[in-house]
Amino acid sequence: MNAPATPSRAVTVLVTRRVAPQGVAGFETAMAGMIEAATHLPGHLGGQLVRPGEAGSGDEPLLYHVVFAFDNDAHLAAWQDSPERSHWLAQIAPHTIGAQEMRRVSGLDYWFAPTGSTTKAPPPRWKVAVVTWLGIFPTVLLLFLTVAPLLADWPLVPRTMVITMLVVVLMTWVVAPRLTRWLAGWLHAQPPAGERP
């Protein structure tokens, strides 16, 4: 009897590049082309350019992050091996300094990835859960007090879609970056030597 197939899981990669001071405009134009090209490949779930400072994490001025998400590893690999990606990498290269840094992240790990790091592990899941709740609780409360009354006459499904969309946007670009910066020492603290696995 064959074992049941393991369901595929979405995969996200976080790419970090340092851009030359004179190359910002060219880099952003080429990066927009790469992100648009990825939308035509099977399994594409999304792409986002995060400019220095947008993540609220104190990035150095010319450090850019790019997020690509695909529905499974096979589609991510197809994108990484595609001629479209190779073409845009060649367009991007003249505008960057040094090699790109790439790491895979999953779920909420993107919120808690140390800035510009490809080696430091994400914090323990229980800490991620605590900080996520600390961010989501006041965000949802604020939206229920301010936005929800304006949508009181809307049907349940679109009303829920708007509220949850705003929660994701605020958590990704406003709340989570600040919480992870303020609590970075606690999130990434190493346990005493005797308690390490």
Side-chain angles (χ1 to χ4, degrees):
M1 180 176 176
N2 294 332
T6 302
S8 61
R9 297 177 56 186
V11 59
T12 302
V13 291
L14 176 64
V15 182
T16 301
R17 290 184 174 90
R18 286 170 178 81
V19 177
Q22 70 279 9
V24 170
F27 171 79
E28 292 196 3
T29 298
M31 199 68 248
M34 174 182 274
I35 291 172
E36 198 279 331
T39 65
H40 301 291
L41 271 75
H44 177 266
L45 297 178
Q48 177 70 39
L49 175 65
V50 183
R51 294 174 177 83
E54 285 187 348
S57 54
D59 280 349
E60 58 186 80
L62 296 170
L63 191 68
Y64 281 74
H65 304 291
V66 187
V67 182
F68 286 102
F70 284 84
D71 61 355
N72 58 45
D73 282 302
H75 284 145
L76 172 64
W79 159 246
Q80 292 178 324
D81 294 335
S82 68
E84 294 90 344
R85 179 172 178 269
S86 296
H87 166 78
W88 287 108
L89 284 175
Q91 303 301 308
I92 288 166
H95 309 296
T96 59
I97 301 171
Q100 70 175 16
E101 300 172 350
M102 181 182 297
R103 63 173 293 175
R104 292 166 60 106
V105 294
S106 60
L108 300 179
D109 288 350
Y110 170 66
W111 286 345
F112 300 93
T115 302
S117 171
T118 59
T119 57
K120 187 182 290 186
R125 288 190 179 274
W126 71 270
K127 290 187 177 182
V128 171
V130 169
V131 177
T132 301
W133 179 83
L134 287 174
I136 287 180
F137 170 70
T139 302
V140 172
L141 179 61
L142 175 66
L143 292 173
F144 270 113
L145 292 174
T146 58
V147 177
L150 303 176
L151 310 179
D153 296 332
W154 288 29
L156 176 63
V157 171
R159 187 167 73 241
T160 304
M161 288 176 63
V162 170
I163 293 292
T164 53
M165 179 191 68
L166 290 173
V167 169
V168 170
V169 169
L170 289 171
M171 281 294 295
T172 301
W173 281 284
V174 179
V175 180
R178 284 162 175 77
L179 282 177
T180 54
R181 184 173 73 248
W182 295 337
L183 299 175
W186 176 73
L187 277 168
H188 301 285
Q190 293 295 317
E195 298 179 14
R196 295 179 188 176

